[in-house]
Amino acid sequence: MNVTYIQHSGFSVDFADMMLVFDYWMGEITIPEDKPVYVFVSHAHHDHFNEEIFEWERSGVDIRYILSDDINADPAENRILLVPDEFCDLGNIKIKTLRSTDEGVAFFVSIQTSESAQEVHIYHAGDLNWWHWEEEGTEYNQQMKEDYQNALRLMEGEHVDVAFVPVDPRLEDAYYWGIDWYMRHTDTERVYPMHMWGQYEIQDRLLCQPETAPYRERIVKVMAS
């Protein structure tokens, strides 16, 4: 399994017999022609969705799109629209969606690949995060906390091989609350920060944050090429 950071919240996960792409917005990516490609879009915000992804199928690639139902896409056999709290079985790929605390969904994906006898589990949060904005006031922020923690109860205790979770510097001192709650309530082997708006230095702060000590070695720093 080869994980590549693209930009912002965009990642590809490459196996010998398939590739997964999550929340492509911008950046360089090579779409393979010799194996199936599954493209996930968590919601329609411009920093998570680029219509360019639909150009990738023109070369005849075996490609399937798994889209939040707020994506305005023309109907096609290879486009699957999912609502929050839905389950989709594609055979060797099984998908559960979680309700976002912003727009759209988060994805929990279980994959049966030729490289492993056991399923590989991948979590991509999209914009499911503990959003805490001081200007919104106490009532809003308390509701956001509850909504985030309730959404992640579906992940409680789950084993996750690879997770992609927001670490947004715009949240100031609350930037790490979402990833911290996630890591303390799941069994995640590797977590990749995302949604950093190019401020990659926030990762160094995260690695020095006292609260991250129990899982610090499982945080994987990223940097755009």
Side-chain angles (χ1 to χ4, degrees), residues 194-213:
M194 65 178 192
H195 212 274
M196 293 174 284
W197 298 102
Q199 298 182 42
Y200 298 110
E201 63 275 10
I202 198 72
Q203 297 173 101
D204 295 321
R205 182 179 174 189
L206 181 68
L207 290 169
C208 293
Q209 192 81 35
E211 290 83 355
T212 68

PDB file of all heavy atoms in Angstrom, residues 194-213:
ATOM      1  N   MET A 194      -4.394  16.728   7.325  1.00  0.00           N
ATOM      2  CA  MET A 194      -4.808  17.325   6.049  1.00  0.00           C
ATOM      3  C   MET A 194      -5.573  18.610   6.340  1.00  0.00           C
ATOM      4  O   MET A 194      -5.735  19.010   7.494  1.00  0.00           O
ATOM      5  CB  MET A 194      -5.665  16.347   5.241  1.00  0.00           C
ATOM      6  CG  MET A 194      -7.002  15.994   5.847  1.00  0.00           C
ATOM      7  SD  MET A 194      -7.951  14.890   4.772  1.00  0.00           S
ATOM      8  CE  MET A 194      -9.566  14.948   5.556  1.00  0.00           C
ATOM      9  N   HIS A 195      -6.002  19.283   5.251  1.00  0.00           N
ATOM     10  CA  HIS A 195      -6.818  20.497   5.359  1.00  0.00           C
ATOM     11  C   HIS A 195      -6.042  21.604   6.065  1.00  0.00           C
ATOM     12  O   HIS A 195      -6.608  22.383   6.838  1.00  0.00           O
ATOM     13  CB  HIS A 195      -8.122  20.180   6.105  1.00  0.00           C
ATOM     14  CG  HIS A 195      -9.297  20.998   5.653  1.00  0.00           C
ATOM     15  ND1 HIS A 195      -9.573  22.235   6.172  1.00  0.00           N
ATOM     16  CD2 HIS A 195     -10.267  20.759   4.740  1.00  0.00           C
ATOM     17  CE1 HIS A 195     -10.669  22.712   5.606  1.00  0.00           C
ATOM     18  NE2 HIS A 195     -11.110  21.838   4.719  1.00  0.00           N
ATOM     19  N   MET A 196      -4.754  21.704   5.749  1.00  0.00           N
ATOM     20  CA  MET A 196      -3.880  22.653   6.439  1.00  0.00           C
ATOM     21  C   MET A 196      -3.703  23.965   5.681  1.00  0.00           C
ATOM     22  O   MET A 196      -2.951  24.830   6.122  1.00  0.00           O
ATOM     23  CB  MET A 196      -2.522  21.999   6.709  1.00  0.00           C
ATOM     24  CG  MET A 196      -2.601  20.856   7.703  1.00  0.00           C
ATOM     25  SD  MET A 196      -1.045  19.962   7.905  1.00  0.00           S
ATOM     26  CE  MET A 196      -1.010  18.975   6.378  1.00  0.00           C
ATOM     27  N   TRP A 197      -4.330  24.091   4.522  1.00  0.00           N
ATOM     28  CA  TRP A 197      -4.267  25.330   3.735  1.00  0.00           C
ATOM     29  C   TRP A 197      -2.829  25.766   3.460  1.00  0.00           C
ATOM     30  O   TRP A 197      -2.510  26.953   3.467  1.00  0.00           O
ATOM     31  CB  TRP A 197      -5.052  26.445   4.430  1.00  0.00           C
ATOM     32  CG  TRP A 197      -6.502  26.134   4.566  1.00  0.00           C
ATOM     33  CD1 TRP A 197      -7.154  25.711   5.682  1.00  0.00           C
ATOM     34  CD2 TRP A 197      -7.496  26.195   3.521  1.00  0.00           C
ATOM     35  NE1 TRP A 197      -8.494  25.504   5.416  1.00  0.00           N
ATOM     36  CE2 TRP A 197      -8.731  25.801   4.105  1.00  0.00           C
ATOM     37  CE3 TRP A 197      -7.474  26.555   2.171  1.00  0.00           C
ATOM     38  CZ2 TRP A 197      -9.918  25.742   3.354  1.00  0.00           C
ATOM     39  CZ3 TRP A 197      -8.647  26.497   1.440  1.00  0.00           C
ATOM     40  CH2 TRP A 197      -9.856  26.097   2.027  1.00  0.00           C
ATOM     41  N   GLY A 198      -1.952  24.785   3.239  1.00  0.00           N
ATOM     42  CA  GLY A 198      -0.564  25.082   2.910  1.00  0.00           C
ATOM     43  C   GLY A 198       0.301  25.457   4.095  1.00  0.00           C
ATOM     44  O   GLY A 198       1.508  25.675   3.928  1.00  0.00           O
ATOM     45  N   GLN A 199      -0.262  25.519   5.283  1.00  0.00           N
ATOM     46  CA  GLN A 199       0.511  25.881   6.481  1.00  0.00           C
ATOM     47  C   GLN A 199       1.054  24.602   7.130  1.00  0.00           C
ATOM     48  O   GLN A 199       0.652  24.211   8.227  1.00  0.00           O
ATOM     49  CB  GLN A 199      -0.357  26.685   7.447  1.00  0.00           C
ATOM     50  CG  GLN A 199      -0.835  28.000   6.860  1.00  0.00           C
ATOM     51  CD  GLN A 199      -1.651  28.820   7.846  1.00  0.00           C
ATOM     52  OE1 GLN A 199      -1.318  28.915   9.021  1.00  0.00           O
ATOM     53  NE2 GLN A 199      -2.741  29.406   7.368  1.00  0.00           N
ATOM     54  N   TYR A 200       1.989  23.978   6.456  1.00  0.00           N
ATOM     55  CA  TYR A 200       2.471  22.660   6.879  1.00  0.00           C
ATOM     56  C   TYR A 200       3.234  22.694   8.200  1.00  0.00           C
ATOM     57  O   TYR A 200       3.405  21.659   8.847  1.00  0.00           O
ATOM     58  CB  TYR A 200       3.327  22.044   5.771  1.00  0.00           C
ATOM     59  CG  TYR A 200       2.548  21.824   4.499  1.00  0.00           C
ATOM     60  CD1 TYR A 200       2.787  22.597   3.368  1.00  0.00           C
ATOM     61  CD2 TYR A 200       1.553  20.858   4.440  1.00  0.00           C
ATOM     62  CE1 TYR A 200       2.059  22.413   2.212  1.00  0.00           C
ATOM     63  CE2 TYR A 200       0.816  20.660   3.284  1.00  0.00           C
ATOM     64  CZ  TYR A 200       1.067  21.438   2.168  1.00  0.00           C
ATOM     65  OH  TYR A 200       0.332  21.256   1.018  1.00  0.00           O
ATOM     66  N   GLU A 201       3.661  23.878   8.614  1.00  0.00           N
ATOM     67  CA  GLU A 201       4.370  23.988   9.887  1.00  0.00           C
ATOM     68  C   GLU A 201       3.468  23.638  11.068  1.00  0.00           C
ATOM     69  O   GLU A 201       3.975  23.346  12.168  1.00  0.00           O
ATOM     70  CB  GLU A 201       4.940  25.396  10.064  1.00  0.00           C
ATOM     71  CG  GLU A 201       3.909  26.509  10.128  1.00  0.00           C
ATOM     72  CD  GLU A 201       3.456  27.037   8.777  1.00  0.00           C
ATOM     73  OE1 GLU A 201       3.805  26.410   7.739  1.00  0.00           O
ATOM     74  OE2 GLU A 201       2.756  28.072   8.750  1.00  0.00           O
ATOM     75  N   ILE A 202       2.155  23.642  10.866  1.00  0.00           N
ATOM     76  CA  ILE A 202       1.243  23.261  11.950  1.00  0.00           C
ATOM     77  C   ILE A 202       1.495  21.833  12.401  1.00  0.00           C
ATOM     78  O   ILE A 202       1.209  21.461  13.541  1.00  0.00           O
ATOM     79  CB  ILE A 202      -0.239  23.444  11.521  1.00  0.00           C
ATOM     80  CG1 ILE A 202      -1.179  23.474  12.739  1.00  0.00           C
ATOM     81  CG2 ILE A 202      -0.678  22.360  10.555  1.00  0.00           C
ATOM     82  CD1 ILE A 202      -1.093  24.705  13.563  1.00  0.00           C
ATOM     83  N   GLN A 203       2.083  21.011  11.521  1.00  0.00           N
ATOM     84  CA  GLN A 203       2.384  19.624  11.885  1.00  0.00           C
ATOM     85  C   GLN A 203       3.462  19.542  12.956  1.00  0.00           C
ATOM     86  O   GLN A 203       3.417  18.665  13.823  1.00  0.00           O
ATOM     87  CB  GLN A 203       2.811  18.836  10.649  1.00  0.00           C
ATOM     88  CG  GLN A 203       1.725  18.737   9.589  1.00  0.00           C
ATOM     89  CD  GLN A 203       2.234  18.097   8.321  1.00  0.00           C
ATOM     90  OE1 GLN A 203       2.008  16.918   8.058  1.00  0.00           O
ATOM     91  NE2 GLN A 203       2.941  18.877   7.514  1.00  0.00           N
ATOM     92  N   ASP A 204       4.437  20.444  12.901  1.00  0.00           N
ATOM     93  CA  ASP A 204       5.472  20.465  13.935  1.00  0.00           C
ATOM     94  C   ASP A 204       4.865  20.841  15.281  1.00  0.00           C
ATOM     95  O   ASP A 204       5.242  20.295  16.325  1.00  0.00           O
ATOM     96  CB  ASP A 204       6.576  21.449  13.546  1.00  0.00           C
ATOM     97  CG  ASP A 204       7.317  21.019  12.299  1.00  0.00           C
ATOM     98  OD1 ASP A 204       7.556  19.806  12.145  1.00  0.00           O
ATOM     99  OD2 ASP A 204       7.637  21.885  11.474  1.00  0.00           O
ATOM    100  N   ARG A 205       3.937  21.775  15.252  1.00  0.00           N
ATOM    101  CA  ARG A 205       3.238  22.139  16.489  1.00  0.00           C
ATOM    102  C   ARG A 205       2.449  20.946  17.020  1.00  0.00           C
ATOM    103  O   ARG A 205       2.434  20.682  18.221  1.00  0.00           O
ATOM    104  CB  ARG A 205       2.312  23.330  16.215  1.00  0.00           C
ATOM    105  CG  ARG A 205       1.572  23.837  17.450  1.00  0.00           C
ATOM    106  CD  ARG A 205       0.688  25.029  17.091  1.00  0.00           C
ATOM    107  NE  ARG A 205      -0.131  25.432  18.231  1.00  0.00           N
ATOM    108  CZ  ARG A 205      -1.106  26.323  18.169  1.00  0.00           C
ATOM    109  NH1 ARG A 205      -1.384  26.922  17.016  1.00  0.00           N
ATOM    110  NH2 ARG A 205      -1.810  26.626  19.244  1.00  0.00           N
ATOM    111  N   LEU A 206       1.796  20.224  16.094  1.00  0.00           N
ATOM    112  CA  LEU A 206       1.021  19.051  16.489  1.00  0.00           C
ATOM    113  C   LEU A 206       1.909  18.006  17.153  1.00  0.00           C
ATOM    114  O   LEU A 206       1.534  17.399  18.169  1.00  0.00           O
ATOM    115  CB  LEU A 206       0.335  18.457  15.255  1.00  0.00           C
ATOM    116  CG  LEU A 206      -0.548  17.230  15.470  1.00  0.00           C
ATOM    117  CD1 LEU A 206      -1.797  17.588  16.265  1.00  0.00           C
ATOM    118  CD2 LEU A 206      -0.942  16.611  14.122  1.00  0.00           C
ATOM    119  N   LEU A 207       3.087  17.798  16.608  1.00  0.00           N
ATOM    120  CA  LEU A 207       3.990  16.784  17.143  1.00  0.00           C
ATOM    121  C   LEU A 207       4.588  17.180  18.484  1.00  0.00           C
ATOM    122  O   LEU A 207       5.097  16.325  19.215  1.00  0.00           O
ATOM    123  CB  LEU A 207       5.108  16.506  16.131  1.00  0.00           C
ATOM    124  CG  LEU A 207       4.660  15.763  14.865  1.00  0.00           C
ATOM    125  CD1 LEU A 207       5.772  15.772  13.819  1.00  0.00           C
ATOM    126  CD2 LEU A 207       4.259  14.329  15.188  1.00  0.00           C
ATOM    127  N   CYS A 208       4.524  18.462  18.814  1.00  0.00           N
ATOM    128  CA  CYS A 208       4.997  18.933  20.120  1.00  0.00           C
ATOM    129  C   CYS A 208       3.868  19.149  21.115  1.00  0.00           C
ATOM    130  O   CYS A 208       4.135  19.420  22.293  1.00  0.00           O
ATOM    131  CB  CYS A 208       5.780  20.241  19.948  1.00  0.00           C
ATOM    132  SG  CYS A 208       7.326  20.055  19.040  1.00  0.00           S
ATOM    133  N   GLN A 209       2.635  19.024  20.645  1.00  0.00           N
ATOM    134  CA  GLN A 209       1.472  19.232  21.517  1.00  0.00           C
ATOM    135  C   GLN A 209       1.448  18.140  22.581  1.00  0.00           C
ATOM    136  O   GLN A 209       1.474  16.951  22.270  1.00  0.00           O
ATOM    137  CB  GLN A 209       0.195  19.162  20.675  1.00  0.00           C
ATOM    138  CG  GLN A 209      -1.060  19.630  21.361  1.00  0.00           C
ATOM    139  CD  GLN A 209      -1.191  21.146  21.357  1.00  0.00           C
ATOM    140  OE1 GLN A 209      -0.797  21.814  20.423  1.00  0.00           O
ATOM    141  NE2 GLN A 209      -1.758  21.672  22.435  1.00  0.00           N
ATOM    142  N   PRO A 210       1.421  18.477  23.865  1.00  0.00           N
ATOM    143  CA  PRO A 210       1.470  17.438  24.905  1.00  0.00           C
ATOM    144  C   PRO A 210       0.380  16.386  24.764  1.00  0.00           C
ATOM    145  O   PRO A 210       0.614  15.199  25.036  1.00  0.00           O
ATOM    146  CB  PRO A 210       1.304  18.238  26.207  1.00  0.00           C
ATOM    147  CG  PRO A 210       1.772  19.606  25.875  1.00  0.00           C
ATOM    148  CD  PRO A 210       1.414  19.834  24.437  1.00  0.00           C
ATOM    149  N   GLU A 211      -0.813  16.789  24.296  1.00  0.00           N
ATOM    150  CA  GLU A 211      -1.928  15.843  24.190  1.00  0.00           C
ATOM    151  C   GLU A 211      -1.678  14.741  23.175  1.00  0.00           C
ATOM    152  O   GLU A 211      -2.295  13.674  23.245  1.00  0.00           O
ATOM    153  CB  GLU A 211      -3.209  16.612  23.826  1.00  0.00           C
ATOM    154  CG  GLU A 211      -3.753  17.495  24.934  1.00  0.00           C
ATOM    155  CD  GLU A 211      -3.078  18.844  25.004  1.00  0.00           C
ATOM    156  OE1 GLU A 211      -2.100  19.099  24.256  1.00  0.00           O
ATOM    157  OE2 GLU A 211      -3.536  19.682  25.814  1.00  0.00           O
ATOM    158  N   THR A 212      -0.795  14.959  22.209  1.00  0.00           N
ATOM    159  CA  THR A 212      -0.577  13.950  21.168  1.00  0.00           C
ATOM    160  C   THR A 212       0.457  12.891  21.549  1.00  0.00           C
ATOM    161  O   THR A 212       0.709  11.969  20.777  1.00  0.00           O
ATOM    162  CB  THR A 212      -0.141  14.616  19.841  1.00  0.00           C
ATOM    163  OG1 THR A 212       1.175  15.179  19.991  1.00  0.00           O
ATOM    164  CG2 THR A 212      -1.124  15.688  19.422  1.00  0.00           C
ATOM    165  N   ALA A 213       1.049  13.012  22.725  1.00  0.00           N
ATOM    166  CA  ALA A 213       2.116  12.090  23.127  1.00  0.00           C
ATOM    167  C   ALA A 213       1.747  10.610  22.995  1.00  0.00           C
ATOM    168  O   ALA A 213       2.565   9.811  22.532  1.00  0.00           O
ATOM    169  CB  ALA A 213       2.563  12.402  24.554  1.00  0.00           C
TER     170      ALA A 213
END
